Structure formats: C-alpha cells, structure tokens
C-alpha cells in the first residue's frame, strides 16, 4: 500500500512567511489543503492558505491542536523550537524531522555535524566567553567573523573583527552569548545547492546557483552558476551527503563559498526552501516548493532541472522609500515599468509594511544565458524606482 499523503490531504506549515506562501501556492495547485501556524496574522502564507492559526510556537497545546488537524507537518521557518516539532510529531509526521531542525538551528551543532561528515567548512572555534574569543582570535587571526550560535539569519547576530582590539566590541555586539568565530573567507564567489530528498531516499537537485549578498542579505541569484562542471558536481555531492547524513525528508539548501583556490567550503545549511531557489518557481520543471510538497507527502520527486537560465533579484522594503524634500517618504515601486519586460516575473509576498531590509518580493528574469538573465533582472529592478528619482529631480527643478 502506498504510504503517500495524496492530493485532498492537508499539509500543516510551521511559519507563515514567503517560503510558506510559495509552498502553499504549489500545494494548492496540486489539490492539497494548507494550514499555517505562526504568532502573526494576515501573513504571507495565511493569505493563500485554507487556514491561518495564530499562536506562539511556545504554546505546545496550540501546536498539538494544529498538528491534530493536518496529515503532515512541515516548516518554512527553521527557528521553531525543537520542542514544538516534537509536540507536533505525536499527532502527525513532521518532515524534515525535529532532529534536523535541532542540528541546523545552532551554528556549532551544524558545524560539528559537517566536520564529522568530512565536509569542508571555514576554520572556526567555539566561543563562550570574551577570554575564549581572544584565544580563538590568536589562533584564527583577523579578519574574522563572530556569529551567534543560535537564532541567526540574514547576517543578524554577526560582527566582523578586523583587529584583535575589536574583540570586546564584537562580543558586546553579539550579545555576549555562545558564538562561533569563523576565519574570514576571501571567496571568489558564493553558491548554493537546493536539493530534495524523498521518503524513499531519492535525491534531486537544482544545480549550483550563484549568489550575491548586500549587507549580508541575499540580493541576486543566478542559475546556472558560472562554475566548472567538476566543481558543480562536487557541490552537488556535498549537498547529497548533507541530506543523507541528516536523513532529511524535504528540501534543504547548502550555502557554500568558492575560494580563490577553487575549493568549496560550506557556510550554512537551511532545512527548507531557500531564497536562492526562488528562481526555480518560474525556471525549473519542478520548483523547490513543489519538491518540498512531494517529499513531505511521500510522493515521487519531480524533475528539478532548469528549463532556461534565470536570475532572481530580491525586492527589499528600501525600494518603497524615496528622498523627498522633508526627508525619506514612502512611494510605491513602479510595477508596470518592470513588467514591460515580458521575460520578467513579479512575486510579491503580501506584506503590508515595507521596512528597510525586509524581503517584500522578488523579480525573476529568464533569458538565453545566465548573464543576460542577470542583466534583465537588474534592469527590471532599477526600473521600479527610476521614476522616483526622476520625479524628484523634476520637482526640485520647479516644474510642478
Ligand atoms: P550567514 O548569515 O552566515 O549566511 O552570512 C551571510 C553572508 O555573510 C554570507 O553569505 C557571506 O556573504 C558573508 N559571510 C559570512 N561568513 C563569512 C566568512 N566566514 N567569510 C566571508 N564572508 C562571510
């Protein structure tokens, strides 16, 4: 008998952001119902889900009640306490399992898993006190980056240390808590591999995607990444070892540095669809979101290959700001200007408040080559605000 959870069933998502939203769109397209759970309301996921439950992740009774009403639980936000995943597991399968969350939500546990699995990471040291930090700095040298061990993402809870005398300031900046000091990697580029693993152990990946960050936040992803085929195969094998080593059922992203010497170092794991994989929504035969659905429901994985080269540009809340005569004011980006380029797809996450640094949406451009896709995505994003500055120049010139 099939162990699959079939269309018509209900999938529960812990978390309610844009990853859950795109997952829910993929799930509803295939005839599933979706419930979402988070402390917020009118959320990106809730807006497209059948049911939005608003409760704290610490409210284990609410988590149990939620899990009792769905056929399988997955998550789109990995900083859900392992206790919540455990509570849910008594009522419905949780995929990936809480143990995967437990490992990946703490940088020290994650790095020791990777090291034990023989997967290369940047030199690092565990730091629990300022004295340990100073000792670690003497060993690893500068520049280096101090990162909190728990609950960090998008560069939050990080401090760069350029000289040993910066140690006390960095220790304060990360909140004097358990942390990891990492040697600064002088990388040539950053890549990620988004991969899926089915209930039967089958494996699928979207190839290497190249990523560019601004202020520690992902800004632009391009696929295929411009790396040699042998290096890409190596990156995919690393991803395979990680998904197998953690016994993942679902989707996991491995972020890596390509060093100037052409070696791969794993930076971070995310046990869920990833921002760099958003371009698969439009450019792959099976998106990372559909793969997550298929994997957690015990269905066969779909073909993950890219149909065309693609690039994704994030749209942060800053795009809603423009300089007015009285300071920064809010202005809607010019959607029509970007959509005039027919190969550009617009994704907005339904967030009411655009704040600086907040991920509000993204644009994906498809083209004949990765370089052309990148240019088109950047041109489309620039078009969103071209009118803003133009208008102010006009105003200041007194034409209105
Ligand atoms: P993370 O939050 O660890 O994913 O870091 C966000 C971004 O900061 C990375 O994608 C890199 O661009 C940069 N970064 C993080 N760790 C390092 C490192 N050890 N060396 C150089 N850059 C880093």
């Amino acid at each position: 008998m099939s162990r699959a959870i079939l269309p018509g069933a209900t999938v529960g998502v812990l978390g309610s952001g844009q990853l859950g939203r795109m997952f829910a769109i993929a799930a509803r397209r295939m005839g599933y119902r979706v419930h979402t759970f988070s402390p917020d309301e009118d959320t990106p996921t809730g807006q497209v889900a059948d049911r939005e439950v608003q409760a704290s992740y610490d409210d284990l009774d609410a988590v149990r009640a939620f899990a009792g009403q769905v056929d399988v639980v997955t998550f789109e936000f990995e900083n859900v306490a392992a206790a919540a995943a455990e509570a849910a597991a008594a009522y419905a399968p949780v995929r990936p399992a809480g143990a995967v969350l437990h490992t990946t939500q703490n940088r020290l546990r994650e790095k020791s898993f990777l090291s034990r699995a023989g997967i290369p990471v940047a030199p690092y040291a565990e730091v629990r006190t300022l004295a340990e930090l100073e000792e670690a700095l003497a060993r690893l040298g500068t520049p280096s980056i101090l990162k909190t061990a728990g609950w960090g993402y998008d560069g939050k809870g990080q401090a760069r240390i350029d000289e040993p005398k910066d140690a006390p300031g960095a220790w304060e900046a990360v909140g004097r808590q358990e942390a990891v000091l990492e040697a600064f990697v002088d990388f040539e580029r950053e890549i990620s591999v988004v991969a899926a693993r089915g209930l039967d152990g089958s494996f699928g990946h979207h190839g290497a995607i190249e990523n560019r960050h601004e202020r520690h936040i992902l800004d632009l992803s391009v696929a295929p990444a411009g790396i040699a085929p042998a290096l890409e195969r190596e990156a995919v094998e690393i991803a395979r070892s990680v998904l197998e080593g953690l016994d993942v059922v679902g989707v996991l992203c491995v972020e890596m540095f390509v060093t100037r010497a052409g070696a791969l170092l794993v930076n971070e794991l995310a046990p869920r669809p990833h921002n760099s994989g958003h371009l698969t929504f439009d450019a792959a035969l099976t998106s990372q979101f559909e793969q997550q659905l298929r994997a957690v429901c015990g269905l066969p994985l779909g073909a993950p290959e890219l149909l065309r080269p693609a690039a994704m540009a994030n749209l942060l809340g800053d795009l809603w700001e423009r300089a007015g005569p009285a300071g920064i004011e809010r202005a809607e980006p010019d959607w029509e200007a970007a959509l005039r380029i027919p190969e550009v797809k617009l994704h907005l996450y339904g967030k009411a408040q655009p704040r600086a640094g907040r991920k509000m949406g993204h644009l994906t451009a498809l083209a004949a080559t990765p370089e052309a896709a990148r240019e088109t995505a950047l041109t489309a994003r620039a078009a969103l605000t071209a009118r803003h500055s133009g208008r102010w120049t006009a105003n200041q010139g007194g034409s209105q």
Side-chain angles (χ1 to χ4, degrees), residues 86-353:
E86 239 167 71
Y91 292 83
V94 175
R95 295 176 184 153
V100 179
L101 274 187
H102 182 72
T103 303
T104 56
Q105 66 191 196
N106 179 286
R107 288 187 195 272
L108 285 170
R109 285 197 288 270
E110 184 172 288
K111 283 190 195 295
S112 70
F113 156 74
L114 291 165
S115 304
R116 269 184 283 119
I119 294 168
V121 295
Y124 73 97
E126 292 186 29
V127 169
R128 291 190 173 79
T129 61
L130 177 57
E132 280 184 14
L133 172 59
E134 284 166 344
E135 220 173 276
L137 272 173
R139 225 164 351 113
L140 296 183
T142 51
S144 53
I145 301 191
L146 185 66
K147 303 178 178 181
T148 54
W151 314 117
Y153 63 97
D154 282 348
K156 296 191 177 83
Q158 300 195 6
R160 186 180 152 136
I161 302 179
D162 284 310
E163 292 178 65
K165 71 168 174 47
D166 300 341
W171 184 237
E172 287 299 321
V174 303
R176 290 193 268 163
Q177 54 183 309
E178 184 183 55
V180 40
L181 182 74
E182 268 178 45
F184 190 80
V185 179
D186 181 24
F187 54 80
E188 191 223 337
R189 63 183 90 207
E190 294 185 80
I191 61 166
S192 55
V193 175
V194 177
R197 189 162 170 269
L199 200 52
D200 59 358
S202 54
F203 176 80
H205 65 87
H206 297 287
I209 299 168
E210 187 162 339
N211 303 315
R212 192 183 80 190
H213 292 80
E214 294 284 346
R215 291 176 293 150
H216 291 280
I217 302 174
L218 183 66
D219 182 56
L220 186 80
S221 293
V222 180
I227 59 172
L231 195 63
E232 177 162 29
R233 279 196 296 276
E234 207 182 301
V236 167
E237 285 317 307
I238 287 176
R240 189 195 303 271
S241 315
V242 170
L243 275 88
E244 285 177 359
L246 289 173
D247 195 18
V248 169
V249 175
V251 166
L252 183 141
C253 172
V254 185
E255 290 184 71
M256 300 174 230
F257 299 121
V258 180
T259 68
R260 295 200 184 273
L264 294 172
L265 296 176
V266 170
N267 174 35
E268 217 178 16
L269 309 179
R272 47 158 174 82
H274 188 258
N275 196 165
S276 62
H278 288 1
L279 52 79
T280 63
F281 201 107
D282 299 300
L285 195 50
T286 309
S287 73
Q288 60 171 352
F289 306 103
E290 185 177 331
Q291 288 295 52
Q292 181 184 16
L293 175 77
R294 286 170 174 251
V296 305
C297 289
L299 293 171
L301 297 180
E305 57 256 28
L306 282 188
L307 299 171
R308 288 192 87 189
M312 185 270 341
N314 266 339
L315 306 179
L316 301 185
D318 312 57
L319 287 172
W320 275 250
E321 291 177 350
R322 76 174 164 197
I328 300 292
E329 60 180 39
R330 185 171 162 176
E332 193 69 10
D334 185 355
W335 305 122
E336 282 177 84
L339 294 173
R340 259 177 227 122
I341 308 174
E343 297 81 16
V344 167
K345 312 295 281 186
L346 172 66
H347 296 253
L348 289 171
Y349 307 147
K351 298 180 185 178
Q353 287 307 324

Side-chain angles (χ1 to χ4, degrees), residues 23 58 75-76 110 191 229 276:
F23 171 82
D58 300 330
F75 44 85
E76 64 102 50
E110 184 172 288
I191 61 166
S276 62

